[in-house]
Amino acid sequence: MNTTNDLNDHSDSDAPSKPAPPTGAGSSALAGVVAAAMVVGVAELVAAVMNPAAAPFVAIGATVVDHTPEPLREFAIEQFGTRDKQVLFLSMAVVIAVLAVSVGLLERRRPWGSVSLGVLGVVVAVVVLQRPNAEVTDVIPTLLGAAAGIATLRWLIVRAPRPGDTPSPLSRRRFLVLAGGAAVLAAGAAATGQWLGERLRAITTDRANFRLPIPRVTAAKPPRGTDPPVPGLTSFVTPNDRFYRIDTALRIPTVTRADWRLRIHGRVGRSVELSMDDLEELTAIEKMITLTCVSNEVGGDLAGNAVWTGYSLAELLSMAAIAPEADMLLSRSADGFTAGTPVAAITDGRDALLAVGMNGEPLPLEHGYPARLVVPGLYGFVSATKWVVDLELTRFDEARAYWTERGWAERAPIKVASRIDVPGAFAALAAGPTMVAGVAWAQHRGIALVEVQVDNQPWAPARLVPEYSVDTWRQWTWQWDAEPGRHTLRVRATDATGQRQTDQRARPIPDGATGWHSILVTVT
């Protein structure tokens, strides 16, 4: 009897132990999401101290922008306009959440979730190293974030309730408190990173303390008759907070006045490097210029008019003695973006500027503080580099810029365009006298004529407000005796060279949209 018991006891002790039951799917998924939040939060905090551009969320987003197929990119701009970056960030957050849930579920029985998180960290680190101006140390935020995420995942998984253990409500509550605490810690790290990045670089304070140069000649005031009293008509001067913003920067570069330098080199007689103090020794000028984005669809609002304060770009380049064979200015921003501008468009007498002010104040951060380029008559992607720090004189057959590498046009002069602002599309109108109004532009050539057509009736000339300059848009108005029914209104413009806006529709890429803007209205 005793022998039998001894044998049974010996048999039980040698039996292999059963593996621990897996954690619940819900708890595992939550642990994965919190771990992912910790990755982002810690990486954001470390990047704020080292290099904000090294934050993995920003690096991944910038890489997505760089490799987005052209039709999808234009669809995003057309549908979301200046909110395209917010949509991108939201989409990235959704993808990260899905991956985080998957990582948590993989961690239920074995640490495969931790392994996956480590692999993802390495992949993202490689992506960070591929960004312009990247250094080896830029991978540190990503790797530390991944390590913090793995530690958080393991810590939560060990403490997660397991179905086979018949967890009590108290243990579930304890796990939720721990997960919530870790999530708050992750959010706090991200918020601290944002706050610390601002304090370390003090870019907002730097801009607030920036004193605009006093221009030798100020921009003339708009002529009498500008901004006719038509509700809904675009204002002649675009306020800074309403000026369109389309660029590739997911995080605004932070360059202070003291740190900023502009290098002029390449096919030149001598290289030149300028600081803000150097610029203050030069003569400042002030010009009113309308800018247009090549992504603007027919009838779109990606155009704006502002007073720009700065320095003659032609004079700055002359300091370096441009070589005769140079035909392209390759400008580079602080975040590595490049644009190629024809040298002829800078040296032909037009008001090409290195701008430091916009509408009487320092450039807004999102519009290029502390310095950007403004070249009348060319779409922004070949002329309006923000946060500019480098100007290289080269040739179109030797170098390619960011967008030309992706198949966009090299020189891109702005095409004549016009838009109906009032009435709005699908408006319901009362029969009788009705004001139709809008804007037209053909920078560096000027607008000579705007015409409006109702249905298939003859074209009628609109009234143009007095011209400010050939480099600004012109507002126009037309009085219509509206009759009951559904009607189509169209507009077309002719520039000062006699070039009439074509009715042939073309997409914005590679060199600007074409076609007449039209709207449908109902008159009762």
Side-chain angles (χ1 to χ4, degrees):
M1 188 71 178
N2 291 337
T3 302
T4 303
N5 288 339
D6 290 341
L7 289 173
N8 287 341
D9 291 343
H10 179 74
S11 176
D12 291 343
S13 63
D14 289 344
S17 60
K18 294 181 179 180
T23 56
S27 300
S28 300
L30 178 59
V33 171
V34 173
M38 189 64 73
V39 172
V40 174
V42 170
E44 185 74 28
L45 178 59
V46 177
V49 177
M50 298 185 61
N51 176 15
F57 194 77
V58 174
I60 293 172
T63 302
V64 170
V65 170
D66 291 349
H67 295 88
T68 299
E70 204 53 57
L72 181 57
R73 187 198 313 274
E74 286 309 304
F75 172 80
I77 293 176
E78 180 180 355
Q79 295 298 315
F80 307 116
T82 56
R83 300 186 301 276
D84 58 340
K85 292 178 177 61
Q86 293 92 317
V87 174
L88 172 61
F89 286 143
L90 179 61
S91 301
M92 289 174 56
V94 171
V95 172
I96 290 173
V98 172
L99 290 174
V101 169
S102 301
V103 165
L105 294 177
L106 286 172
E107 195 78 3
R108 294 180 67 191
R109 294 180 181 274
R110 294 286 187 271
W112 293 118
S114 298
V115 172
S116 300
L117 205 52
V119 171
L120 288 173
V122 172
V123 171
V124 174
V126 172
V127 170
V128 170
L129 286 177
Q130 303 306 309
R131 302 306 306 157
N133 306 324
E135 299 179 358
V136 174
T137 54
D138 287 345
V139 303
I140 294 177
T142 297
L143 297 181
L144 289 181
I150 292 171
T152 301
L153 180 63
R154 293 301 306 150
W155 184 71
L156 288 175
I157 286 293
V158 169
R159 288 159 178 78
R162 301 175 184 274
D165 294 343
T166 60
S168 66
L170 183 60
S171 63
R172 289 196 183 95
R173 190 178 302 115
R174 178 174 176 271
F175 173 75
L176 292 176
V177 169
L178 293 175
V184 170
L185 186 62
T192 301
Q194 292 283 347
W195 177 85
L196 191 58
E198 166 61 24
R199 293 301 181 274
L200 288 175
R201 289 158 185 85
I203 193 66
T204 302
T205 302
D206 190 78
R207 178 181 178 272
N209 293 332
F210 187 95
R211 291 184 300 174
L212 282 182
I214 300 175
R216 177 184 56 192
V217 178
T218 58
K221 293 182 179 180
R224 188 182 182 89
T226 302
D227 283 327
V230 179
L233 175 62
T234 298
S235 61
F236 181 67
V237 177
T238 308
N240 289 356
D241 60 355
R242 293 175 56 191
F243 207 97
Y244 76 93
R245 180 198 168 195
I246 298 292
D247 53 52
T248 62
L250 297 185
R251 170 164 289 167
I252 296 173
T254 53
V255 183
T256 64
R257 180 191 183 283
D259 291 338
W260 182 84
R261 296 291 185 276
L262 179 66
R263 183 181 176 222
I264 305 174
H265 63 106
R267 289 181 175 269
V268 296
R270 55 189 173 276
S271 296
V272 174
E273 185 174 276
L274 298 170
S275 66
M276 280 293 171
D277 289 337
D278 295 326
L279 291 183
E280 289 184 352
E281 301 298 320
L282 306 177
T283 300
I285 55 179
E286 188 178 74
K287 298 293 180 180
M288 180 99 72
I289 299 170
T290 298
L291 300 186
T292 306
C293 180
V294 72
S295 296
N296 197 43
E297 297 280 353
V298 173
D301 61 357
L302 300 182
N305 188 43
V307 176
W308 306 94
T309 304
Y311 305 89
S312 167
L313 187 54
E315 291 184 10
L316 294 179
L317 297 184
S318 69
M319 297 170 64
I322 305 172
E325 69 272 16
D327 64 1
M328 181 178 84
L329 178 68
L330 185 68
S331 55
R332 180 173 284 102
S333 72
D335 65 351
F337 173 83
T338 55
T341 308
V343 170
I346 299 170
T347 59
D348 64 359
R350 72 184 72 189
D351 295 321
L353 301 176
L354 174 72
V356 297
M358 181 178 181
N359 288 333
E361 61 182 61
L363 287 171
L365 300 180
E366 67 273 17
H367 288 294
Y369 179 83
R372 65 170 295 166
L373 300 188
V374 174
V375 182
L378 301 178
Y379 286 115
F381 79 97
V382 298
S383 66
T385 303
K386 304 173 186 177
W387 314 288
V388 63
V389 294
D390 189 276
L391 301 177
E392 179 184 358
L393 276 302
T394 180
R395 293 183 54 81
F396 280 103
D397 58 7
E398 292 179 348
R400 296 172 70 82
Y402 181 91
W403 288 117
T404 51
E405 286 182 338
R406 290 158 176 80
W408 296 25
E410 286 186 338
R411 300 171 190 269
I414 293 173
K415 298 177 179 178
V416 58
S418 55
R419 184 180 74 210
I420 300 172
D421 290 338
V422 181
F426 307 109
L429 309 173
T434 301
M435 183 60 72
V436 182
V439 290
W441 59 86
Q443 290 92 311
H444 206 56
R445 302 186 305 282
I447 292 294
L449 176 67
V450 171
E451 299 170 285
V452 181
Q453 183 186 53
V454 180
D455 300 324
N456 293 315
Q457 298 175 18
W459 288 90
R463 176 184 176 274
L464 289 169
V465 304
E467 182 179 73
Y468 182 91
S469 79
V470 295
D471 291 332
T472 62
W473 58 16
R474 293 183 77 175
Q475 298 163 311
W476 58 266
T477 60
W478 183 66
Q479 192 73 33
W480 174 39
D481 188 13
E483 298 180 353
R486 297 187 64 189
H487 301 284
T488 299
L489 302 180
R490 301 182 186 87
V491 63
R492 69 183 184 188
T494 303
D495 69 23
T497 70
Q499 181 68 43
R500 176 181 290 167
Q501 188 175 352
T502 178
D503 64 336
Q504 298 300 309
R505 283 271 178 167
R507 301 286 295 173
I509 306 306
D511 60 355
T514 61
W516 297 336
H517 184 214
S518 63
I519 62 170
L520 291 174
V521 297
T522 302
V523 180
T524 57

